Amino acid sequence: MEGCGYEVFLSFRGPDTRMAFTYHLYTRLTDAGVHTYKDDEDLRVGEEIGPNLLGAIEQSKISIPIFSKNYASSKWCLKELAQMVECWKRKGQVIMPIFYYVEPSEVRYQTGGYGEALLVHENKKRVDDESFRKWRAALSEVGGLKGWNIENGANRHEGQLIKEVVTKVLSELKKAYLVVSDFWLVLTNL
């Protein structure tokens, strides 16, 4: 969808969240009328992020990285995150992080699985030093932002969190979210 301005860009590690949390968040956002970008390709071919993906990040008003257990193991996710931070600094794009069963401190300070994943990228020389530095800086900066945290054993239901995210997105976009209740539907069918 080149040339279309997206309102929200979702960045996520497909195997971790694509078929559940990300799918439900995407559905709720689009149902609310938010033009949302979600990459549906399981595997990307080639070495560079395609221009459509970079364009979708660039055109979006809000980026939502969904930091899951294996997010940092994907160089594509890290490239997306670095692009989000560039847009945030250059043009004030809003970043709303979701920490999906990952502690924000693990992202911010690159400890645990995030530290291990970065070590693998570094040891395998998957990118040049400048790109690697940008990945680390992006993780530090976005990991320090206020966002939503879904923890193991938390009392908060994922559906409730998705509702909160959609409400915040709509508030940022200053859109009215029309909720049609069952009661209203009954009245209109009389």
Side-chain angles (χ1 to χ4, degrees), residues 107-137:
V107 175
R108 184 175 192 182
Y109 300 113
Q110 291 108 56
T111 59
Y114 276 65
E116 293 167 16
L118 287 173
L119 210 55
V120 170
H121 291 304
E122 188 174 35
N123 290 339
K124 290 188 175 182
K125 304 283 187 217
R126 290 187 171 163
V127 294
D128 59 78
D129 291 342
E130 179 62 17
S131 294
F132 191 74
R133 186 196 61 71
K134 286 180 181 179
W135 291 358
R136 280 195 176 278

Side-chain angles (χ1 to χ4, degrees), residues 45-122:
V45 179
E47 290 299 309
E48 296 297 321
I49 286 182
N52 286 350
L53 189 60
L54 288 175
I57 295 169
E58 181 73 31
Q59 295 167 9
S60 295
K61 294 173 180 66
I62 299 171
S63 289
I64 302 177
I66 302 168
F67 292 113
S68 58
K69 182 180 174 187
N70 296 304
Y71 185 93
S73 67
S74 166
K75 70 178 189 175
W76 297 109
C77 289
L78 295 170
K79 286 181 180 185
E80 291 170 7
L81 188 66
Q83 179 71 18
M84 287 178 225
V85 169
E86 183 183 311
C87 291
W88 173 45
K89 289 180 174 181
R90 186 169 32 84
K91 61 181 200 160
Q93 184 180 94
V94 175
I95 300 176
M96 297 179 174
I98 296 173
F99 302 94
Y100 188 79
Y101 299 103
V102 171
E103 285 297 319
S105 62
E106 185 177 337
V107 175
R108 184 175 192 182
Y109 300 113
Q110 291 108 56
T111 59
Y114 276 65
E116 293 167 16
L118 287 173
L119 210 55
V120 170
H121 291 304
E122 188 174 35

